[in-house]
Amino acid sequence: MKLTVVGGGSTYTPELADGFARLRDTLPIGELVLVDPAAERLELVGGLARRIFARLGHPARIVTTGDLDRAVEGADAVLLQLRVGGQAARNEDETWPLECGCVGQETTGAGGLAKALRTVPVVLDIAERVRRANPRAWIIDFTNPVGIVTRALLRAGHRAVGLCNVAIGFQRKFAALLDVAPADLHLDHVGLNHLTWETAVRLGGPEGRNVLPELLAGHGGAIAADLRLPRAALDRLGVVPSYYLRYYYAHDEVVDELRTKPSRAAEVAGMERELLRMYADPALDEKPELLSRRGGAYYSEAAVDLAAALLGGTGSPYQVVNTLNRGTLPFLPDDAVIEVQAAVGAQGAVPLPVPEVDPLYAGLMANVTAYEDLALRAALLGGRERVFRALLAHPLIGQYAYAETLTDRLIAHNREHLAWA
């Protein structure tokens, strides 16, 4: 089995390599190809990945290359983890929106739209090359904003599934709090990428007993602290929102915080410099502890599980993924991309039925879905007016004057990545 990682020079990649090596019975890879245009960085990351495989006794060959067409030729699955513009572009996404009093974040709001505009055309070009090389290959998208990027891929007819680590992170945290095995917990996870709620936590599978009330009663304070939301908010909601909901539920508070400290991109850039220095050490043959602070916890396990299920391995039959709505949430269009539990197999991902969604959450999901539709149109067709309409539709912006100013700043900061600008 051949698996290709586009963006293989990412400092995340050793986490992925470690997961592939440890879970080789779940996903038996014969060849792992890491492709990235940054040759020097790629060799550092690839060298560590080879040493990790060797230490853990994995026999697969690891290939590094800057040639995308060579990398995807014959691949059974292609995992996308690229960042167009790198951390420098992310830093801008996280800063210029703050000048207008709006959240600066790389996956939502104005910054998230900027990332989508830079990313969608690049991803679609890669996907076309994958389709020409092997039309049966699966594309696993971990590239943010996952919902919009996956929607672009599916709309273009690609065999694609979107992946995020929020659900597996909650599963592991809840399992630790309840002192049970993670595999014993099934989450009723519903929403859009980075806009999700855990409406039930079931012990023993999709039909198991809902232990969310006792989880909140016994550990609500710890969960609220992790989310940086008041304990009272969780008690009133009776569900667990993802930490991205803080951008909506405490928007002004978050803006004030972001204005007084370095951007997350600046922090990550510093970590990446240190990680690459560590990766250059030929004696290092395991992922360093610093990598756990880089983000993407449990990313490798989620990726292995999904790839294994899609490729006929022993992956879990039920997984939280990003896929087409197809009537699952009746208040959203069928071609919306939602993030829910799905049955995953060689046929792809089929969402499991979802109980009726509280209007408190359904309304916000519908609003953001409309924004994502407008954002995708702007990414595919370009034009200042399309960018403005997407910004005006976003619930974190929504004011004419803000949308006008943010449109100009978005274009100014991203002109080199926007062919139409």
Side-chain angles (χ1 to χ4, degrees):
M1 183 183 299
K2 176 178 177 179
L3 192 144
T4 297
V5 179
V6 180
S10 168
T11 53
Y12 272 137
T13 299
E15 162 74 25
L16 195 61
D18 183 81
F20 287 152
R22 293 181 184 279
L23 301 172
R24 56 183 174 272
D25 292 339
T26 301
L27 185 66
I29 299 170
E31 183 177 7
L32 175 63
V33 182
L34 309 178
V35 58
D36 201 292
E40 183 177 353
R41 179 185 181 115
L42 179 61
E43 285 310 308
L44 292 177
V45 172
L48 176 55
R50 292 187 185 98
R51 295 192 296 272
I52 289 172
F53 267 42
R55 182 176 64 83
L56 295 175
H58 197 299
R61 184 168 76 113
I62 296 180
V63 177
T64 56
T65 180
D67 185 337
L68 178 64
D69 292 319
R70 175 192 168 202
V72 301
E73 184 178 357
D76 297 287
V78 177
L79 197 152
L80 305 180
Q81 59 171 27
L82 62 152
R83 181 182 294 280
V84 180
Q87 294 297 333
R90 176 182 180 177
N91 184 66
E92 293 187 350
D93 294 344
E94 293 177 342
T95 52
W96 55 262
L98 295 172
E99 298 167 6
C100 297
C102 296
V103 158
Q105 213 278 330
E106 64 157 342
T107 66
T108 191
L113 177 60
K115 192 172 195 300
L117 297 182
R118 294 193 304 269
T119 305
V120 166
V122 174
V123 165
L124 290 179
D125 176 68
I126 293 168
E128 284 300 327
R129 297 194 198 187
V130 172
R131 180 150 55 188
R132 288 197 300 267
N134 180 9
R136 298 301 298 168
W138 281 102
I139 295 175
I140 297 173
D141 176 52
F142 197 72
T143 296
N144 282 318
V146 167
I148 296 172
V149 173
T150 303
R151 193 172 186 180
L153 288 165
L154 292 172
R155 185 173 288 187
H158 297 290
R159 286 163 56 86
V161 181
L163 181 64
C164 181
N165 67 332
V166 167
I168 191 172
F170 273 135
Q171 182 199 43
R172 299 308 167 88
K173 287 180 182 178
F174 295 164
L177 291 171
L178 295 170
D179 195 24
V180 300
D184 290 338
L185 287 187
H186 177 97
L187 304 183
D188 283 11
H189 177 103
V190 62
L192 314 178
N193 180 242
H194 290 185
L195 193 86
T196 53
W197 296 263
E198 311 307 324
T199 59
V201 178
R202 301 189 183 279
L203 191 59
E207 305 302 323
R209 180 171 65 90
N210 180 18
V211 296
L212 179 57
E214 60 196 74
L215 181 68
L216 288 174
H219 305 283
I223 296 170
D226 279 348
L227 299 174
R228 300 188 64 198
L229 288 171
R231 165 69 186 268
L234 266 63
D235 290 339
R236 294 180 74 176
L237 294 173
V239 303
V240 178
S242 86
Y243 47 84
Y244 288 94
L245 264 298
R246 187 167 183 259
Y247 296 119
Y248 297 82
Y249 293 162
H251 176 274
D252 294 351
E253 178 183 335
V254 172
V255 168
D256 288 343
E257 289 175 3
L258 294 175
R259 282 172 161 167
T260 61
K261 64 180 184 179
S263 70
R264 173 63 177 165
E267 294 176 1
V268 169
M271 290 182 201
E272 289 196 331
R273 287 190 293 271
E274 178 62 16
L275 285 168
L276 290 171
R277 186 193 65 77
M278 298 170 75
Y279 294 174
D281 180 359
L284 182 67
D285 60 0
E286 60 185 352
K287 59 180 183 179
E289 190 279 330
L290 177 61
L291 187 54
S292 66
R293 305 207 306 271
R294 169 66 179 81
Y298 310 116
Y299 158 44
S300 62
E301 295 173 50
V304 167
D305 211 17
L306 178 53
L310 293 172
L311 298 174
T314 58
S316 303
Y318 302 118
Q319 301 181 35
V320 173
V321 297
N322 286 261
T323 191
L324 290 174
N325 180 37
R326 297 191 187 96
T328 305
L329 301 178
F331 52 89
L332 298 181
D334 284 349
D335 67 345
V337 165
I338 60 175
E339 187 172 292
V340 293
Q341 287 277 2
V344 182
Q347 81 289 347
V350 179
L352 300 182
V354 174
E356 184 177 357
V357 177
D358 189 311
L360 181 61
Y361 318 126
L364 185 54
M365 290 163 60
N367 191 337
V368 174
T369 296
Y371 151 75
E372 290 189 347
D373 183 62
L374 293 168
L376 183 53
R377 293 184 198 182
L380 294 173
L381 301 173
R384 185 187 187 282
E385 185 63 18
R386 292 189 181 92
V387 173
F388 168 78
R389 287 170 60 83
L391 289 169
L392 187 62
H394 200 294
L396 294 180
I397 301 166
Q399 296 186 54
Y400 180 88
Y402 285 175
E404 280 281 13
T405 302
L406 289 168
T407 297
D408 290 336
R409 295 188 183 185
L410 185 155
I411 294 171
H413 283 277
N414 291 275
R415 198 175 299 277
E416 67 179 294
H417 299 292
L418 306 177
W420 51 267

